[in-house]
Amino acid sequence: QNVKDFVRVDTSADDNIISAMITQARIWCENYISRDIVSKNRTYYLPQTNGLFDLPFGPVSSIEQITVSGTATTDFEILGLDNETIELDGGSADHVKITYITAGLNDSLIKQAMLQLISTYYDNRADFNSEGSKETTEIPTSTKTILTSYKSMFL
């Protein structure tokens, strides 16, 4: 209902479209900030590591399992404000697999960024305007501005 109020829709005719746009906006925002907005089970693979690495798409709620070359290990430390950094006690390792659960972010600023993005999706459902000329539709700068403070970079 919050999205429908924001885009000024008072009919149920577009509910399926709006629902899909909510999912699309959430996925775009998650990929842009490299963080999960809703909690997820994730698996991360590293062909090799020096023993210290960051998990993408935090904040991390729990580490379910870490395997090194196919063998489960408990020899690691969880570091970082969002539990996103892992340090293997043995140092360098090959074929590392981490399964973990993210906590998700529930924040009014992220909700505002998503509302603005969904509104843009809803208002620009085609690449052409009513006169038939090509429109350039971009992600709203206000959405990017809001999300920038949440953005994480992984190399």
Side-chain angles (χ1 to χ4, degrees), residues 13 23 26 29-30 32 38 48 79 96 101 111 113 119 124 138 145 150:
T23 301
R26 180 188 47 79
C29 290
E30 287 176 335
Y32 185 75
V38 297
Q48 61 186 37
L79 309 168
V96 178
I101 299 172
K111 289 177 185 174
S119 176
N124 299 287
E138 296 258 341
T145 301
Y150 296 92

Side-chain angles (χ1 to χ4, degrees), residues 70-151:
T71 304
T73 183
T74 57
D75 295 333
F76 61 89
E77 288 185 59
I78 302 170
L79 309 168
L81 294 175
D82 290 327
N83 299 323
E84 75 286 357
T85 302
I86 305 295
E87 183 174 23
L88 298 174
D89 292 342
S92 297
D94 293 330
H95 309 289
V96 178
K97 175 183 170 186
I98 306 96
T99 54
Y100 61 104
I101 299 172
T102 59
L105 300 170
N106 185 9
D107 185 289
S108 60
L109 285 175
I110 289 176
K111 289 177 185 174
Q112 182 62 33
M114 285 184 59
L115 285 171
Q116 291 175 1
L117 184 55
I118 294 162
S119 176
T120 299
Y121 286 165
Y122 188 79
D123 291 340
N124 299 287
R125 287 177 267 176
D127 289 337
F128 295 90
N129 64 25
S130 58
E131 289 80 38
S133 63
K134 183 112 173 113
E135 273 187 16
T136 304
T137 54
E138 296 258 341
I139 301 303
T141 30
S142 55
T143 297
K144 287 183 177 181
T145 301
I146 291 169
L147 294 175
T148 296
S149 65
Y150 296 92
K151 196 165 174 69

Side-chain angles (χ1 to χ4, degrees), residues 9 33 63-64 101 135:
V9 172
I33 64 175
I63 303 293
E64 299 300 299
I101 299 172
E135 273 187 16

